[in-house]
Amino acid sequence: MSSPAERYTAARRRAAQAVEFPALDEFALDLGFDLDDFQRKACQSLERGSGVLVCAPTGAGKTVVGEFAVHLALRGRPDDPVPADDAATRPPRRKCFYTTPIKALSNQKYHDLVARYGAEQVGLLTGDNAINGDAPVVVMTTEVLRNMLYAGSSTLQGLAYVVMDEVHYLADRFRGGVWEEVIIHLPPSVTLVSLSATVSNAEEFADWLVTVRGETAVVVSEHRPVPLWQHMLVGKRMFDLFHDADAARKHDVHPELLRYTRETARRLELGEGRSAGPGAGRRGPRWRGPLRPDIVDRLDREGLLPAILFIFSRAGCAAAVQQCLAAGLRLTSSEERTEIRRVVESRVTAIPGEDLSVLGYWEWLDGLERGLAAHHAGMLPVFKEVVEELFVRGLVKAVFATETLALGINMPARCVVLERLVKYNGEAHVDLTPGEYTQLTGRAGRRGIDVEGHAVVVWSPETDPRHVAGLASTRTYPLRSSFRPSYNMAVNLVGTVGVEPARALLESSFAQFQADRSVVGLARQVQRNTESIEAYGAEAACHHGDFDEYFALRVAIADREKAIARQGQTQRKAAAVTSLERLRVGDVIRVPSGRRAGLAVVLDPATGGFGEPRPLVLTQDRWAGRVSPGDFTTPAEVLARIRVPKHFNHRSPAARRDLAAEVSGTGLDRHGGRRGGRSRQVTGEDHRLTQLRTELRNHPCHACPEREDHARWAERRRRLEGDTEELRERVSGRTGSLARTFDRIVALLTERGYLARDGAVTDAGRMLGRIWTEADLLVAECLRRGVWNGLSPAELAAAVSVVVFEARRDVDERASLPRGPVADAVDETLKLWGEIEADEAARGLTATREPDLGFAWPVYRWARGEALAKVLGSGHEIDGEMPAGDFVRWARQVVDLLGQLADSGGASPELRSTARQAIAAVNRGVLAYHTAA
């Protein structure tokens, strides 16, 4: 307890602060809780008139600083004269724009501010909603503000504060550049409030902010308001990752955890605990970690719910819920189940009943009523929103989520579980970074509710506790700019300030700021690598002959073998596709690989022309579903034929049972003969490969007894030479890199008529400046060439989809298209893309992404009014049907581009009219639902 003297001193200090910072004193009175030191320090800097950068952990309360900026804007200047009798002389009211990276976060912040300040004071502007846009406080996505700045919107008048929530998003490789555009282009009179997760180079970022925005205070806090305890779950035992806080600071893993995991790994290597199942004869037992239902049940028993269990797979999230349901888990009371059903039914009334069954509504509702749910981008947006609402209210107790949840809205839990420390980033499976680990585990611990939060990592033999300790303790995750000039940005900059000032603006970006600082370190590394390459070359030298020449032959042979293997794989895939296209109803085939391996009968040949064939089959294990060429390592062979009833219902268990019995009754071997010559067809017969191998054997170095030692040194040198060349390119490319890229873009735009020779923006350039999409130049060229003229609304939706859609994973085959006008328009689009790509390659510019045809059929059928089930089934997906959430997201992007066409001065009146009709055709059913703002 403090002494009277200390209490008196504290009261004096508070009184002095109230005099010095009256606005903060007013603001703090309405909060209902005491400000933390970092919040108070940041707010005081704001009231002094300084910009501020706040870096603090997830859940620490950074947004209080942003809300104080809102308070300052609404409060107005204390010394502003306000004549009562002359409204005309009243000074313009001050505004605050609150920007967020995603619409869901904008919606949530809008509701929070409306609850505090009233609906008349707060507006919302996102791609989906426009509410009270002239209000003094407007919540918006960052792209909306960027577009306002380029358009010179009158809404910017009186703007005094801009809050950039989650400003660390500027590292996002797809959208991060937008944050830098806004920071650079905001008028000097605007005070910037930047709110970021904890990053290790906050000072560097702040140094840049000072250069482009003026005085900026840096406030960094690594203190979590709710302490976080780290654990590892090893089988059925839970261990603390660290013995105490001091051990956590030193990265010292709990000795008992290390001992137990080492002993468990040793027993696995020795084969102890091996199951006596089908895999018992294999070398090395397979580790079976705790089952997901068991993890949830344990968390429930230990009072650690609600919990978010991160599984880096959409299918894994859905499977986890099904596993928990099958295990009979029920985490809710009868009263909670009644409230859950009420909330759900009130939110899905706008969705047609026939679509609900397609969307798996009943299974989803069953999980919710038991307190279980999945959360990932493949879900329908309204389903995700319901899960979020129920979880925040404590009605849903366990959510299985992908990492996108950690980047989304405020959805804290008592406990967070990480099933793996590896995730798929769209290109490869990669380890979690310390920043990602902190972002995910930062959800644990609800301020004002939980005394402490808990993060649990599920152990497997590949998981080293010391690695987890490093992730949990590391604070070295810097903010890296992803900014690069685009065609749209170039014409807008040139139109606003001119060519030379535009180049100077780009040079002031955070990307160039970081690039200039990094060149010195890269140059030093090149020098060290060069010395190592010389040393490796000396080790690789051979007295029998020229080992460089010999090693080049080895590399050529390896490259040729890889090329032949790829060619063989393509040929096998083509043969499988051809064989599936020939199947008929009643054909009995053998699925050679995958989860559905064995005999199957064809129920529907599915030769409708939606990309690769995916026949509907029934296996002798009674599973009914579609198979794809990826399930066939060899062509599908018809082994027998059986009669399939005319109106066979594959959803009926009894019907499946009877027909599966007939398949088994054919007497055919389930697995067939194992033909081991899968790759014989393509190896050894290549003339060039034979020639290279002969040259290799005849080379003098081939007889050297130390040949393999030399080869190892030569391989090291080859890899280091590649790395060093890449470093040299980075050094030469970084100095003035953005200005050079900008000059190349200007040259290309000038040649294509978007900019005049004197640097003026042409009519075509002004049209390009109002196209906001990744393929902006391609869209502009399509408009200028009339590629989309004369199409019907559904055909237009399909044709424009190819420039916005991007498949989650690469598919080898080109997706099919509706015949006629759509196919012609897409072919013309592809030709234009080829011309643009050639121009970009000639100038050393990053190529515009190739149009992706995978969404053309779904959006075409949807716009024609077809049922959701058929639409989702026509997607060009590797894993079968297109997830409903993906369909809605891409359809909304198509609608967004159609809206730009409808407003474009470069489009013909007929095209603008068709675009408006296409928007109306697409905005139906699940697309017509929007979150009530």
Side-chain angles (χ1 to χ4, degrees):
M1 183 179 292
S2 59
S3 68
E6 289 171 331
R7 290 197 295 273
Y8 174 73
T9 302
R12 287 281 302 272
R13 186 170 58 248
R14 285 195 298 270
Q17 288 176 349
V19 172
E20 187 179 358
F21 303 106
L24 179 56
D25 191 51
E26 290 173 13
F27 177 72
L29 287 174
D30 294 334
L31 284 178
F33 58 85
D34 291 334
L35 290 171
D36 291 339
D37 289 343
F38 86 92
Q39 294 169 329
R40 185 173 296 279
K41 182 179 177 183
C43 291
Q44 288 174 349
S45 297
L46 263 184
E47 191 164 358
R48 288 192 195 103
S50 167
V52 65
L53 167 64
V54 182
C55 299
T58 301
K62 297 184 291 288
T63 55
V64 167
V65 183
E67 289 168 6
F68 180 59
V70 172
H71 176 79
L72 286 174
L74 293 176
R75 184 174 186 265
R77 297 185 185 90
D79 54 347
D80 280 343
V82 185
D85 57 345
D86 190 1
T89 62
R90 184 184 297 270
R93 63 178 179 175
R94 299 200 302 178
K95 293 182 178 180
C96 177
F97 287 173
Y98 198 112
T99 72
T100 71
I102 56 177
K103 294 172 186 175
L105 200 54
S106 292
N107 290 332
Q108 187 178 56
K109 181 51 64 177
Y110 168 74
H111 288 298
D112 292 345
L113 293 176
V114 165
R116 177 159 187 163
Y117 297 108
E120 69 282 353
Q121 296 276 52
V122 185
L124 175 68
L125 293 174
T126 68
D128 296 335
N129 289 305
I131 301 169
N132 198 16
D134 292 325
V137 178
V138 185
V139 183
M140 61 185 69
T141 48
T142 315
E143 281 85 353
V144 170
L145 179 53
R146 185 271 311 271
N147 298 355
M148 279 186 185
L149 289 167
Y150 280 143
S153 172
S154 60
T155 310
L156 297 168
Q157 290 181 359
L159 182 61
Y161 297 92
V162 167
V163 180
M164 301 196 80
D165 203 353
E166 311 279 356
V167 75
H168 52 271
Y169 250 78
L170 68 77
D172 183 88
R173 58 179 178 154
F174 299 113
R175 299 170 55 214
V178 177
W179 274 254
E180 288 187 52
E181 287 182 78
V182 169
I183 292 169
I184 291 170
H185 294 310
L186 278 174
S189 59
V190 175
T191 300
L192 185 67
V193 181
S194 305
L195 309 179
S196 171
T198 310
V199 293
S200 57
N201 62 334
E203 295 295 339
E204 179 188 38
F205 184 49
D207 288 346
W208 174 68
L209 286 175
V210 168
T211 65
V212 293
R213 301 298 316 162
E215 184 183 356
T216 303
V218 186
V219 180
V220 178
S221 172
E222 296 205 10
H223 172 70
R224 280 181 52 97
V226 179
L228 178 65
W229 292 95
Q230 309 270 355
H231 313 278
M232 286 201 79
L233 183 60
V234 188
K236 294 183 178 181
R237 292 190 61 181
M238 184 93 78
F239 294 88
D240 290 338
L241 183 61
F242 303 112
H243 179 64
D244 53 28
D246 188 49
R249 282 190 292 272
K250 297 177 181 177
H251 300 199
D252 289 342
V253 178
H254 199 299
E256 180 63 16
L257 170 60
L258 278 177
R259 187 199 63 76
Y260 189 80
T261 52
R262 286 170 180 163
E263 181 63 23
T264 303
R266 187 189 66 80
R267 288 202 307 269
L268 285 168
E269 288 176 8
L270 295 175
E272 297 176 25
R274 185 180 302 177
S275 63
R282 296 182 190 142
R283 185 176 60 189
R286 180 182 175 189
W287 167 255
R288 297 187 183 278
L291 299 175
R292 290 160 176 165
D294 293 341
I295 294 175
V296 176
D297 185 53
R298 175 168 191 150
L299 296 177
D300 186 28
R301 285 186 282 108
E302 296 194 10
L304 294 180
L305 297 180
I308 300 172
L309 298 93
F310 284 108
I311 300 173
F312 303 119
S313 153
R314 296 178 178 185
C317 291
V321 174
Q322 293 304 314
Q323 290 158 12
C324 290
L325 294 179
L329 275 184
R330 188 180 294 279
L331 307 172
T332 54
S333 65
S334 59
E335 293 80 8
E336 288 173 326
R337 289 193 290 276
T338 301
E339 177 62 11
I340 288 169
R341 181 175 283 268
R342 187 196 66 76
V343 170
V344 171
E345 290 177 349
S346 69
R347 297 292 294 275
V348 300
T349 52
I351 302 176
E354 63 271 18
D355 289 348
L356 287 177
S357 56
V358 175
L359 298 167
Y361 169 76
W362 300 107
E363 295 87 347
W364 174 68
L365 178 59
D366 185 26
L368 290 178
E369 290 186 334
R370 296 186 188 209
L372 302 158
H375 188 289
H376 56 75
M379 293 171 63
L380 197 67
V382 62
F383 283 17
K384 283 198 300 180
E385 291 160 12
V386 169
V387 170
E388 291 161 4
E389 178 183 343
L390 295 176
F391 188 80
V392 170
R393 291 180 56 183
L395 296 171
V396 165
K397 319 289 185 179
V399 168
F400 297 93
T402 56
E403 77 277 9
T404 52
L405 176 63
L407 304 175
I409 66 165
N410 182 28
M411 200 170 147
R414 179 167 297 163
C415 178
V416 163
V417 178
L418 299 182
E419 191 173 80
R420 298 180 66 205
L421 296 177
V422 175
K423 70 166 189 172
Y424 186 74
N425 67 357
E427 296 173 356
H429 286 90
V430 296
D431 291 336
L432 285 183
T433 65
E436 289 166 336
Y437 181 89
T438 302
Q439 187 88 32
L440 294 167
T441 57
R443 291 283 170 194
R446 298 165 296 173
R447 188 169 189 174
I449 301 174
D450 299 322
V451 176
E452 57 193 24
H454 298 268
V456 179
V457 175
V458 180
W459 182 84
S460 67
E462 299 80 31
T463 307
D464 186 342
R466 289 166 298 187
H467 173 62
V468 180
L471 288 175
S473 307
T474 300
R475 291 294 176 265
T476 55
Y477 30 93
L479 196 59
R480 295 287 178 227
S481 171
S482 60
F483 179 81
R484 64 182 179 87
S486 67
Y487 299 111
N488 167 285
M489 185 195 302
V491 293
N492 278 308
L493 279 175
V494 171
T496 305
V497 298
V499 175
E500 290 303 322
R503 185 185 291 108
L505 274 173
L506 290 175
E507 290 286 7
S508 69
S509 69
F510 187 46
Q512 193 62 57
F513 186 83
Q514 289 190 309
D516 293 342
R517 284 191 169 191
S518 65
V519 164
V520 175
L522 290 176
R524 287 186 189 136
Q525 186 62 47
V526 167
Q527 181 60 36
R528 286 195 294 267
N529 285 5
T530 303
E531 294 169 1
S532 298
I533 287 169
E534 292 174 0
Y536 291 172
E539 293 290 345
C542 176
H543 66 280
H544 284 267
D546 186 347
F547 199 84
D548 287 348
E549 183 181 79
Y550 176 77
F551 186 71
L553 286 171
R554 290 176 66 141
V555 172
I557 288 171
D559 291 344
R560 186 64 185 166
E561 286 174 340
K562 289 176 185 174
I564 292 170
R566 283 195 298 270
Q567 179 185 358
Q569 187 178 8
T570 302
Q571 291 171 349
R572 285 195 300 273
K573 187 69 174 288
V577 168
T578 302
S579 66
L580 291 183
E581 288 175 338
R582 293 173 178 165
L583 294 179
R584 295 177 297 163
V585 175
D587 286 346
V588 177
I589 59 174
R590 182 180 291 112
V591 182
S593 62
R595 291 180 298 168
R596 309 304 176 188
L599 297 176
V601 60
V602 177
L603 305 178
D604 174 17
T607 55
F610 306 128
E612 62 182 30
R614 294 204 300 271
L616 178 66
V617 303
L618 173 71
T619 68
Q620 63 189 116
D621 296 326
R622 306 181 191 176
W623 174 82
R626 296 196 179 275
V627 291
S628 72
D631 295 313
F632 291 82
T633 53
T634 58
E637 182 183 354
V638 179
L639 306 174
R641 283 187 58 79
I642 62 175
R643 181 182 171 278
V644 176
K646 188 172 183 180
H647 299 294
F648 180 78
N649 180 10
H650 68 274
R651 300 186 191 279
S652 165
R656 290 202 305 269
R657 180 194 63 213
D658 295 342
L659 192 58
E662 285 194 50
V663 175
S664 299
T666 59
L668 294 167
D669 182 8
R670 178 186 183 93
H671 299 291
R674 297 288 186 188
R675 288 184 286 179
R678 173 173 164 174
S679 60
R680 280 201 301 265
Q681 58 185 327
V682 292
T683 57
E685 300 299 327
D686 182 74
H687 173 70
R688 177 58 182 154
L689 188 60
T690 304
Q691 182 183 2
L692 286 169
R693 285 174 173 162
T694 301
E695 291 179 29
L696 185 79
R697 286 192 294 270
N698 293 336
H699 197 283
C701 291
H702 195 66
C704 178
E706 298 177 342
R707 179 186 68 199
E708 293 310 309
D709 285 340
H710 295 324
R712 278 190 286 273
W713 285 109
E715 175 62 23
R716 289 174 188 166
R717 183 179 66 175
R718 184 174 77 95
R719 290 182 179 176
L720 193 56
E721 284 173 340
D723 293 344
T724 305
E725 186 57 36
E726 184 181 325
L727 285 174
R728 285 197 181 101
E729 290 176 2
R730 285 163 66 185
V731 168
S732 63
R734 285 189 177 184
T735 307
S737 55
L738 288 179
R740 283 201 304 275
T741 301
F742 176 74
D743 290 340
R744 293 167 186 165
I745 287 174
V746 167
L748 188 150
L749 292 175
T750 302
E751 183 178 305
R752 286 185 167 266
Y754 293 94
L755 295 174
R757 296 290 172 187
D758 61 359
V761 179
T762 64
D763 288 341
R766 281 185 282 276
M767 172 191 68
L768 174 58
R770 295 295 169 264
I771 295 172
W772 312 101
T773 184
E774 188 181 348
D776 45 14
L777 183 58
L778 179 57
V779 172
E781 287 290 298
C782 286
L783 285 174
R784 293 176 75 190
R785 307 280 185 96
V787 170
W788 297 323
N789 292 343
L791 298 177
S792 70
E795 290 166 348
L796 180 61
V800 304
S801 74
V802 304
V803 298
V804 297
F805 177 72
E806 185 175 9
R808 290 178 67 227
R809 298 183 184 178
D810 290 337
V811 180
D812 293 335
E813 295 81 10
R814 169 175 159 164
S816 64
L817 292 166
R819 294 176 183 172
V822 174
D824 294 342
V826 171
D827 284 343
E828 194 62 31
T829 303
L830 288 168
K831 287 178 187 175
L832 287 175
W833 170 78
E835 293 173 11
I836 292 170
E837 186 196 33
D839 279 356
E840 290 167 332
R843 288 179 166 81
L845 291 169
T846 302
T848 297
R849 182 174 56 81
E850 183 177 3
D852 192 322
L853 283 52
F855 194 57
W857 263 114
V859 75
Y860 176 72
R861 301 185 77 170
W862 182 254
R864 290 178 61 189
E866 296 191 31
L868 183 63
K870 287 187 177 180
V871 170
L872 297 180
S874 61
H876 191 62
E877 296 283 309
I878 294 176
D879 303 323
E881 289 190 349
M882 172 173 274
D886 288 346
F887 171 73
V888 170
R889 184 170 70 257
W890 290 115
R892 284 182 175 171
Q893 292 203 27
V894 169
V895 167
D896 180 71
L897 181 54
L898 288 169
Q900 295 180 43
L901 299 185
D903 296 334
S904 174
S908 66
E910 293 78 13
L911 179 58
R912 292 202 295 270
S913 174
T914 304
R916 284 189 284 271
Q917 295 173 50
I919 291 171
V922 175
N923 271 335
R924 66 177 182 88
V926 292
L927 263 296
Y929 175 87
H930 289 308
T931 306

